Amino acid sequence: MGVEVEPFMSRVWATMRATNYNHHVAILRADVHILFEGKIMSGSEFHVHGPHDHAVEHAAEHASEHTTGDSRDAKHESGLSLGQTVAVFTAVLATVGAIVSYLGGHSQNEALFYKNDAVLKKAEASNTWAQYQAKSTKQNLAELAEGLVGTPEQKARYNGEIKRYGDEKAVLKKVAEGQELASEASNVKSEAALNPHDKLAMAMTFIQIAISLASICVLTRKRWMLGLAGASAAIGLGYWAAAYLLHGMGH
């Protein structure tokens, strides 16, 4: 099943000389490729595809790829629309969640600060009352000594000490009472700072649930899951608003 190459090449070169050279360069390449790597048809005949055959095949393949690409692009755009919606939704929730988380941590830190201050003021008040008791004891001893001595000079000295201890006790009592009031005020501030924490914790919980539902919506392509995520986010925002309105976090 031999193929006479020489007559074939002579025909090709003759055609190229008679017509446009550049137009037939592609035909030459295709014919040579088919000559050495193509299929040998029945008997000793050698079938060579013409340039129009390649053009038809190329056009058919291009049309098929274009149709498949359009179908995939349509599906991709449809999925991307849902993905973009969920992406924006979760980005907003993540931002709100970060703010709520910060406020929750801040409320705890503020409550702890005021509680520590209350304990410190209480300890200072206890120390002041201890000094008050010491002055009171010294005053009692001075009064006892003043009654035992007989000379006017000694009585005058002890009377002076009694008056001095009395004045010091009055100052210490005022200081101790002020420290106790400050301790009570810090306790009130600590409780007020901690009150919104429960609401903020619930808000953060529902926001996290909303983000999880939105993620499931992307995986399952079920848009009603996005509705559940929105409802959960709305509940979380409601708890956040309640923390502000009911407990006055703006203090």
Side-chain angles (χ1 to χ4, degrees), residues 140-197:
N140 292 333
L141 292 176
E143 291 175 352
L144 178 62
E146 190 270 338
L148 295 176
V149 297
T151 62
E153 294 82 4
Q154 291 177 333
K155 286 183 178 293
R157 182 171 66 85
Y158 284 117
N159 284 330
E161 291 182 355
I162 292 170
K163 183 178 183 304
R164 178 170 63 86
Y165 289 138
D167 293 339
E168 292 177 351
K169 282 173 57 181
V171 173
L172 291 173
K173 180 180 180 181
K174 185 177 181 180
V175 172
E177 289 176 348
Q179 291 171 338
E180 287 183 341
L181 290 176
S183 177
E184 292 177 0
S186 294
N187 272 327
V188 172
K189 290 180 179 179
S190 177
E191 293 177 0
L194 192 60
N195 278 335
H197 180 71

Side-chain angles (χ1 to χ4, degrees), residues 37-57:
E37 296 183 5
K39 297 180 180 179
I40 298 177
M41 303 302 291
S42 61
S44 60
E45 295 180 356
F46 188 81
H47 179 72
V48 178
H49 289 281
H52 64 281
D53 294 332
H54 293 288
V56 172
E57 292 177 0

Side-chain angles (χ1 to χ4, degrees), residues 2-206:
V3 178
E4 295 181 0
V5 178
E6 187 173 341
F8 172 75
M9 295 301 297
S10 299
R11 180 181 63 82
V12 171
W13 287 112
T15 303
M16 291 177 59
R17 286 193 299 269
T19 59
N20 188 1
Y21 174 80
N22 294 328
H23 175 73
H24 290 279
V25 169
I27 299 176
L28 174 61
R29 291 178 180 174
D31 289 342
V32 172
H33 176 75
I34 295 171
L35 175 65
F36 293 100
E37 296 183 5
K39 297 180 180 179
I40 298 177
M41 303 302 291
S42 61
S44 60
E45 295 180 356
F46 188 81
H47 179 72
V48 178
H49 289 281
H52 64 281
D53 294 332
H54 293 288
V56 172
E57 292 177 0
H58 179 71
E61 292 176 357
H62 180 71
S64 177
E65 292 176 356
H66 182 71
T67 303
T68 305
D70 289 343
S71 177
R72 291 177 180 176
D73 290 341
K75 292 180 180 179
H76 180 67
E77 290 177 357
S78 177
L80 192 61
S81 176
L82 177 61
Q84 286 179 339
T85 302
V86 174
V88 173
F89 180 76
T90 54
V92 172
L93 287 185
T95 303
V96 174
I99 296 173
V100 172
S101 178
Y102 165 77
L103 292 175
H106 176 70
S107 66
Q108 283 184 317
N109 293 333
E110 190 176 16
L112 183 61
F113 170 79
Y114 285 122
K115 180 60 69 175
N116 289 337
D117 186 67
V119 173
L120 179 61
K121 296 298 184 184
K122 194 68 174 179
E124 290 176 352
S126 297
N127 292 334
T128 304
W129 282 119
Q131 294 176 11
Y132 177 89
Q133 293 296 331
K135 297 296 183 181
S136 180
T137 301
K138 290 180 179 180
Q139 185 182 27
N140 292 333
L141 292 176
E143 291 175 352
L144 178 62
E146 190 270 338
L148 295 176
V149 297
T151 62
E153 294 82 4
Q154 291 177 333
K155 286 183 178 293
R157 182 171 66 85
Y158 284 117
N159 284 330
E161 291 182 355
I162 292 170
K163 183 178 183 304
R164 178 170 63 86
Y165 289 138
D167 293 339
E168 292 177 351
K169 282 173 57 181
V171 173
L172 291 173
K173 180 180 180 181
K174 185 177 181 180
V175 172
E177 289 176 348
Q179 291 171 338
E180 287 183 341
L181 290 176
S183 177
E184 292 177 0
S186 294
N187 272 327
V188 172
K189 290 180 179 179
S190 177
E191 293 177 0
L194 192 60
N195 278 335
H197 180 71
D198 291 339
K199 297 288 188 302
L200 293 174
M202 291 298 296
M204 191 62 198
T205 299
F206 279 100

